[in-house]
Amino acid sequence: MENKVFHCIDVQQFDYDYLEEICDLADKIREISRTKAGMEYLASTLNHKRAMLYFVQPSTRTFLSFYSACQMLGIKCAEVRDPKTSSEIKGESEEDTVRTFSLFFDLIIMRHPRANFAKTIANLLNNTDHPVPVINAGSGKDQHPTQALLDIYTLRRSFLHRGGIAQKKIAFVGDLRRGRTVRSLAALLTQFEEVKLYFVAPPEYQIGQDILSLLDQQKTAYEITDDFEKVIPEVDAIYMTRLQDEWDQEEGAHVDIDIERFSFQKRHLELLKPDGIIMHPLPRRQEIAVEVDSDPRAAYWRQVRNGMYIRVALIADIFQRDKKILDYYLSNNL
Ligand code: CP
């Protein structure tokens, strides 16, 4: 696999071939990690590296899956999650803070409320004598590229025996305007032939015009609606999202919507195709009833687990260990 990613900043970096290769690598890492010997091998591949996890926005899954991914590859981790514990409290700029990390660590994984901050940092480090890779683990309302990778990986695994992701119909439901996971995944799905996307939301939370323009450019079909129950039987995957009301304060507005109309209830299982799947980047509130969890079509817990393997694959690729891992896989007849 040709190394194409140094910094991982946005989904525009990934083409179809890269997605295929990174998903294949994640599958092989999953197989290798099933044995103690395999885990020991993986942990030897990057045990001379150190990573900083700079997460100044809340996170459970992304933080822990990156932490676990680093551990699987033997990378030692440090973290800053509360800027009040760093010298930012003394007035140091965030840029200087992250530049300082680059002097101690070989990789910076960052979640930040500012759109484009990861890109700014990557550009800044490129102009120093010690550039280290930056991975965007969620930036503002804008991009969440590694969530989109794990979502593609989940879709690919789910449709493995149904011809892959091409020609599938995928519905996005909820707060689409402020949902960076939706924006990143919708953009990435343009790489697949004849997919059709449905954006199901009240007008106040519909997907942004920039994403619709991208879909138009790429000739990806889409439909905009607020009729969730009509869409359920038509699609192969439903991607639920929560109301992103942490942005209300910044926007200076709160719009009350009837969440019930945009939530997946137990009765909806009867409307869903027998081989359809339900996804959610999580965390959820009431958009998916807990009774849905035990249905085999509920893919969101599998999605979380997939996040760890795809992030191991991404980091292995960034440090050009992908070929060595593939050699190990083949030489052990896995
Ligand atoms: N999906 C996701 O980004 O979850 P966290 O906010 O818990 O990391």
Side-chain angles (χ1 to χ4, degrees):
M1 176 171 170
E2 188 194 336
N3 173 264
K4 291 180 187 155
V5 172
F6 181 69
H7 301 297
C8 170
I9 304 300
D10 57 42
V11 292
Q12 279 73 22
Q13 289 174 261
F14 309 133
D15 61 15
Y16 178 82
D17 289 345
Y18 180 84
L19 294 176
E20 287 293 298
E21 287 163 3
I22 202 84
C23 289
D24 282 344
L25 183 60
D27 275 342
K28 291 182 171 64
I29 287 166
R30 186 188 289 261
E31 288 303 313
I32 293 170
S33 70
R34 290 194 202 285
T35 65
K36 184 167 183 285
M39 281 296 273
E40 284 168 357
Y41 166 72
L42 288 171
S44 72
T45 56
L46 287 168
N47 59 5
H48 58 303
K49 299 285 184 191
R50 283 160 294 150
M52 165 53 79
L53 280 76
Y54 179 59
F55 273 60
V56 293
Q57 255 193 330
S59 169
T60 300
R61 278 144 290 272
T62 313
F63 178 83
L64 288 175
S65 66
F66 268 119
Y67 199 97
S68 305
C70 287
Q71 281 182 329
M72 281 179 75
L73 290 166
I75 300 174
K76 288 134 198 111
C77 294
E79 63 187 71
V80 169
R81 303 196 72 175
D82 179 356
K84 289 197 209 78
T85 64
S86 84
S87 283
E88 282 178 40
I89 203 78
K90 301 176 209 162
E92 184 168 48
S93 70
E94 292 174 306
E95 285 80 357
D96 281 3
T97 299
V98 184
R99 184 165 179 172
T100 304
F101 299 153
S102 74
L103 303 173
F104 299 130
F105 296 95
D106 305 293
L107 170 66
I108 298 171
I109 303 166
M110 54 189 294
R111 170 170 287 196
H112 199 277
R114 228 197 297 165
N116 282 323
F117 187 60
K119 192 175 190 170
T120 303
I121 292 297
N123 289 338
L124 185 152
L125 295 184
N126 284 346
N127 291 315
T128 69
D129 57 4
H130 200 252
V132 300
V134 173
I135 299 178
N136 178 1
S139 55
K141 291 175 249 180
D142 181 38
Q143 282 266 352
H144 196 343
T146 64
Q147 176 73 41
L149 287 180
L150 80 88
D151 292 337
I152 290 291
Y153 184 44
T154 301
L155 288 163
R156 195 178 98 130
R157 286 176 68 81
S158 302
F159 300 139
L160 196 62
H161 305 296
R162 293 181 54 201
I165 298 175
Q167 298 178 331
K168 296 297 177 295
K169 296 180 175 178
I170 298 159
F172 294 95
V173 186
D175 186 349
L176 311 182
R177 178 169 64 81
R178 303 181 292 188
R180 59 193 175 197
T181 64
V182 171
R183 294 170 52 77
S184 288
L185 179 56
L188 212 43
L189 283 167
T190 62
Q191 301 282 342
F192 295 85
E193 281 181 17
E194 294 180 50
V195 294
K196 181 170 179 186
L197 310 186
Y198 295 72
F199 297 107
V200 186
E204 297 86 348
Y205 293 119
Q206 257 305 350
I207 191 78
Q209 188 52 51
D210 58 335
I211 296 294
L212 296 181
S213 300
L214 177 76
L215 299 180
D216 287 336
Q217 246 174 42
Q218 302 295 324
K219 301 194 174 10
T220 300
Y222 62 85
E223 219 175 285
I224 291 180
T225 177
D226 64 358
D227 191 344
F228 182 40
E229 294 204 345
K230 184 162 171 273
V231 165
I232 296 172
E234 289 184 37
V235 298
D236 302 289
I238 298 182
Y239 194 97
M240 302 298 300
T241 65
R242 73 177 166 85
L243 192 62
Q244 311 275 316
D245 49 13
E246 63 269 38
W247 299 108
D248 282 358
Q249 199 176 358
E250 183 188 286
E251 293 183 355
H254 170 78
V255 184
D256 267 326
I257 60 161
D258 179 6
I259 297 285
E260 170 74 20
R261 280 185 56 220
F262 301 95
S263 62
F264 197 105
Q265 301 299 323
K266 195 173 176 205
R267 69 176 190 282
H268 291 139
L269 287 169
E270 285 174 24
L271 299 176
L272 183 65
K273 287 182 181 178
D275 51 6
I277 60 164
I278 309 154
M279 298 170 70
H280 193 311
L282 303 177
R284 74 170 152 190
R285 291 182 191 157
Q286 60 274 59
E287 319 76 53
I288 303 179
V290 175
E291 299 95 295
V292 175
D293 290 6
S294 54
D295 191 283
R297 293 169 292 179
Y300 32 93
W301 296 112
R302 298 197 289 277
Q303 215 177 327
V304 176
R305 184 101 173 133
N306 290 341
M308 180 176 72
Y309 294 115
I310 204 81
R311 286 172 173 129
V312 177
L314 174 69
I315 295 168
D317 177 56
I318 285 173
F319 287 110
Q320 302 181 0
R321 291 299 184 278
D322 47 302
K323 190 161 179 329
K324 269 180 173 286
I325 292 173
L326 293 176
D327 287 347
Y328 178 92
Y329 178 88
L330 291 173
S331 61
N332 286 276
N333 298 316
L334 292 170

